[in-house]
Amino acid sequence: MLTDQRKALHDIIAAELHLSKNKVIWANQSAPRVQKPMATLQIMSRKGQALEEIRPSGKTGIYNIVTPSKAVLSVQYYGIAGEYAADVLEHLVMNLGKPSVVERCAKCGLSFFDAEPVIDVTALLGNGQIYEPRAAVDIHFGYMYAAEDDLGAIEQVNIKGVITDGESL
């Protein structure tokens, strides 16, 4: 997955959660916890879906290797008191099919195509008196994995031999 695609994925999720970009973070980073409401993102798995295509790049000997791929994005939403976090993620999943979101995804080579059920994972905090509204969902999306490869170019060929009608080369 390209860095631009990862950034676009982050920004689309933030927009559809109605959170500022700094309130949606990639999971497992060493950083202070962001104030709620907030969300974490984690790409859980990725897999190529077909054989790669080898496309000319327009530069001699350089080719673009493109593979249709799919991945699973885990989104965890941490809400504020009185908020039902599962509703927030249900709206997120439903909004990913909006034409404006589909168009934005297409521009950056992404497509959302399925989601697992939203799970309410509200938890009792360490003090045993306050619940933290929380929900999670795994969203399936597709993208085109791309890499550049220098296959080289044959610049000169020397052939020695005899043509069948008897002429020498």
Side-chain angles (χ1 to χ4, degrees):
M1 167 171 266
L2 301 173
T3 302
D4 291 347
Q5 289 173 316
R6 183 184 301 272
K7 182 180 180 330
L9 185 63
H10 170 275
D11 293 353
I12 290 166
I13 297 296
E16 295 309 313
L17 286 173
H18 304 288
L19 292 174
S20 61
K21 293 177 187 177
N22 66 343
K23 294 277 196 154
V24 178
I25 60 171
W26 291 101
N28 303 323
Q29 295 187 50
S30 297
R33 186 168 177 175
V34 177
Q35 277 196 308
K36 296 178 267 183
M38 52 100 49
T40 62
L41 307 177
Q42 184 175 7
I43 296 176
M44 301 300 289
S45 66
R46 26 182 142 189
K47 181 178 191 298
Q49 291 300 289
L51 294 176
E52 68 276 349
E53 284 183 47
I54 300 175
R55 300 176 181 173
S57 70
K59 297 182 258 179
T60 303
I62 307 294
Y63 291 85
N64 293 320
I65 312 301
V66 180
T67 307
S69 301
K70 73 175 184 178
V72 176
L73 176 71
S74 182
V75 180
Q76 295 230 0
Y77 179 79
Y78 300 81
I80 54 176
E83 181 178 42
Y84 193 58
D87 284 350
V88 174
L89 289 186
E90 180 183 18
H91 293 298
L92 167 68
V93 170
M94 301 309 277
N95 286 343
L96 294 177
K98 293 187 313 190
S100 61
V101 175
V102 171
E103 184 176 326
R104 186 171 177 196
C105 288
K107 286 179 182 177
C108 55
L110 298 170
S111 64
F112 295 104
F113 62 86
D114 196 11
E116 299 300 321
V118 173
I119 301 169
D120 183 351
V121 288
T122 296
L124 192 59
L125 294 178
N127 65 12
Q129 297 177 4
I130 299 173
Y131 281 93
E132 177 181 55
R134 196 167 84 185
V137 67
D138 288 343
I139 300 170
H140 300 254
F141 69 97
Y143 64 99
M144 296 299 276
Y145 176 82
E148 204 173 71
D149 196 9
D150 185 351
L151 299 178
I154 299 172
E155 295 183 21
Q156 183 178 0
V157 177
N158 295 321
I159 301 174
K160 292 186 179 184
V162 177
I163 298 179
T164 56
D165 67 0
E167 292 184 38
S168 292
L169 293 177

